[in-house]
Amino acid sequence: MSSDEDCEGQRFCNLLTTGTQLYLKGEDEKAVENFTAALALNPDEKNRLVCRSRCYMRMGQFEKALRDAEASLKDDKTFCEGLYQKAEALFYMGELEYALMYYHRGHKLRPQMKDFKLGILKAQKDIINCINRKTRSLSSTAV
C-alpha cells in the first residue's frame, strides 16, 4: 500500500469519526459535510449513506434521506439498516403504505430488530387514523 493510499484511508476514517461525533452532538449539517466528504472518497460505503440519511431525517430533508437510503440498498436489497432508513423516510414523507411495506420487509429479514416492529405499528396506526378521518369527513358532508 502506498503512502497516498494510507493517507486517503486515514482521511476517510477521520471524516467518519468526526461525522459520527457531530451527529451524536446534534450538529447534523456539519455531520452531513463530513459524511459527504467521506463518500467522495468511497461512494459505495452503504453505512455512511445511512448515517447521512439519518442526518437529513433530523434536518427535515426527507427526499434527500430517501435518496441516500435507496443508494445504500443499491447492491444489497437486504441491507437492514438501509431498509429501515428507507421506511422511515417514506413514513415521514407521508407515504404510509410504502413505509409499511419496507418495515415488513425488514421485519421479515430481522425479526429481532425492534425498530421494524415499532415501525409496523406506527404506520398501521397512522393509516387507520387517516382512514377514520376520511370516513368522518365523508359522513359529515353527507348529512
Side-chain angles (χ1 to χ4, degrees), residues 24-84:
L24 293 172
K25 289 183 194 175
E27 297 181 39
D28 295 316
E29 288 180 24
K30 290 179 183 176
V32 164
E33 291 173 13
N34 278 269
F35 291 134
T36 300
L39 286 162
L41 297 173
N42 185 354
D44 296 324
E45 219 314 302
K46 62 186 179 182
N47 290 300
R48 286 332 112 210
L49 287 162
V50 168
C51 289
R52 190 170 67 177
S53 177
R54 288 181 185 139
C55 293
Y56 284 138
M57 289 286 295
R58 290 202 314 203
M59 295 165 63
Q61 297 180 14
F62 306 123
E63 292 84 12
K64 288 182 178 181
L66 178 61
R67 186 179 63 230
D68 277 356
E70 288 176 333
S72 78
L73 294 166
K74 182 180 71 170
D75 295 327
D76 180 5
K77 304 290 185 215
T78 64
F79 177 50
C80 288
E81 289 79 5
L83 284 171
Y84 180 74

Side-chain angles (χ1 to χ4, degrees), residues 63-122:
E63 292 84 12
K64 288 182 178 181
L66 178 61
R67 186 179 63 230
D68 277 356
E70 288 176 333
S72 78
L73 294 166
K74 182 180 71 170
D75 295 327
D76 180 5
K77 304 290 185 215
T78 64
F79 177 50
C80 288
E81 289 79 5
L83 284 171
Y84 180 74
Q85 255 335 98
K86 183 170 182 171
E88 285 285 281
L90 289 165
F91 179 84
Y92 286 102
M93 291 171 71
E95 299 288 344
L96 303 176
E97 294 88 355
Y98 287 116
L100 182 60
M101 180 179 72
Y102 282 97
Y103 287 130
H104 272 293
R105 283 185 186 176
H107 184 59
K108 184 176 179 181
L109 291 168
R110 294 257 309 267
Q112 71 279 13
M113 195 169 157
K114 292 179 184 178
D115 288 337
F116 285 124
K117 183 65 177 166
L118 293 173
I120 290 168
L121 295 173
K122 76 179 179 181

